[in-house]
Amino acid sequence: MTVRVSLVAAARSSALLAERFDDDRPLDHAGWHEVQLAANALVPLGAAELRYCSPTPRSRATGEALGYAPLVQPALRDCDMGRWRGHTLAEVAAAEPAAVDAWLADPRSAPHGGEPLLAFISRIGGWLDTRPAYDGAIVAVAEPAVVRAALVYALKAPPSTYWNVDVRPLSTVTLTGLPGRWSLRLEAGVR
C-alpha cells in the first residue's frame, strides 16, 4: 500500500516581499481572491479521505474556503523562528547580518533562538512518515515553508536544497510512497 499526500500551499496573507517569519495574519483581500480563482482546480483535492491543515490562520482559512473542512495538525506548523518572529528577512538581515549568514549556511544553526532548519525538515518528515498506510488520498494545506521542507525530506535532498525550492501561494505538489520512501508525483495539466 502507498499513501498519496497532496500538499497545497496556503493563500497569501501579505505581499510576497512583505512576508514575515512565523506570519500568523489571516488571508488578505488578494489571498481570498486567489482562492476564488484557484478553487475549480483545488476543490477536487477535498475528496481525500483525510484533510489536514497547519495551525496558521491563513492555512485554516484556505482549507475552509476550498471546502476541505481540514483537521488542524500542530506538527505542520511553520518553522519556529524565535526572536525573528514577525520580522521580514530584510529587517533581520539589516539588524543581524552575521546571524542571517550563519542561519543560511548551516542547517543546524538557530541564531534566532528557535528551530534549526534541519530540525524543521525532520519534524515535517516525521509527520509525513506517520500518515496512515492505506491506498487513499490525503490533502494538507500548509505554509509554503512546510511544503518546501516536505519536498526536501521526501526527495532526501541536502538541507541546503530548501533555499532553492520556490513554493508559491496555492501551488500543489503530490508525494506518494511509504514512510522513508517518498516520490514526487507530477500530474498532467490537461485531462
Side-chain angles (χ1 to χ4, degrees):
M1 287 192 202
T2 61
V3 179
R4 185 181 59 186
V5 180
S6 294
L7 300 167
V8 178
R12 72 169 103 185
S13 62
S14 63
L16 294 177
L17 293 177
E19 284 192 6
R20 299 178 177 281
F21 292 121
D22 277 339
D23 194 353
D24 61 359
R25 291 178 288 176
L27 292 183
D28 64 9
H29 179 71
W32 282 110
H33 182 68
E34 288 171 353
V35 170
Q36 291 171 349
L37 293 175
N40 284 342
L42 298 177
V43 165
L45 293 175
E49 291 85 0
L50 299 173
R51 297 172 305 278
Y52 302 115
C53 69
S54 71
T56 62
R58 75 179 185 166
S59 292
R60 291 192 319 261
T62 300
E64 291 295 335
L66 292 170
Y68 295 171
L71 176 66
V72 173
Q73 291 282 284
L76 288 178
R77 70 189 179 284
D78 206 344
C79 188
D80 176 2
M81 296 306 291
R83 71 176 178 276
W84 293 355
R85 181 179 185 184
H87 298 282
T88 66
L89 178 58
E91 291 169 347
V92 175
E96 302 180 52
V100 170
D101 288 345
W103 175 63
L104 293 172
D106 181 3
R108 290 179 178 81
S109 73
H112 44 64
E115 186 175 27
L117 179 62
L118 192 57
F120 174 53
I121 293 168
S122 295
R123 173 170 51 83
I124 300 305
W127 179 84
L128 272 174
D129 285 346
T130 57
R131 294 310 86 211
Y134 72 104
D135 285 326
I138 296 171
V139 66
V141 179
E143 296 301 311
V146 172
V147 176
R148 278 197 310 267
L151 286 169
V152 170
Y153 180 83
L155 296 175
K156 298 180 180 173
S160 61
T161 306
Y162 177 88
W163 305 116
N164 301 103
V165 179
D166 184 19
V167 177
R168 309 304 278 172
L170 298 171
S171 59
T172 63
V173 65
T174 300
L175 301 173
T176 61
L178 300 166
R181 287 187 38 205
W182 294 97
S183 298
L184 176 62
R185 180 177 177 175
L186 300 175
E187 302 286 344
V190 178
R191 296 185 190 213

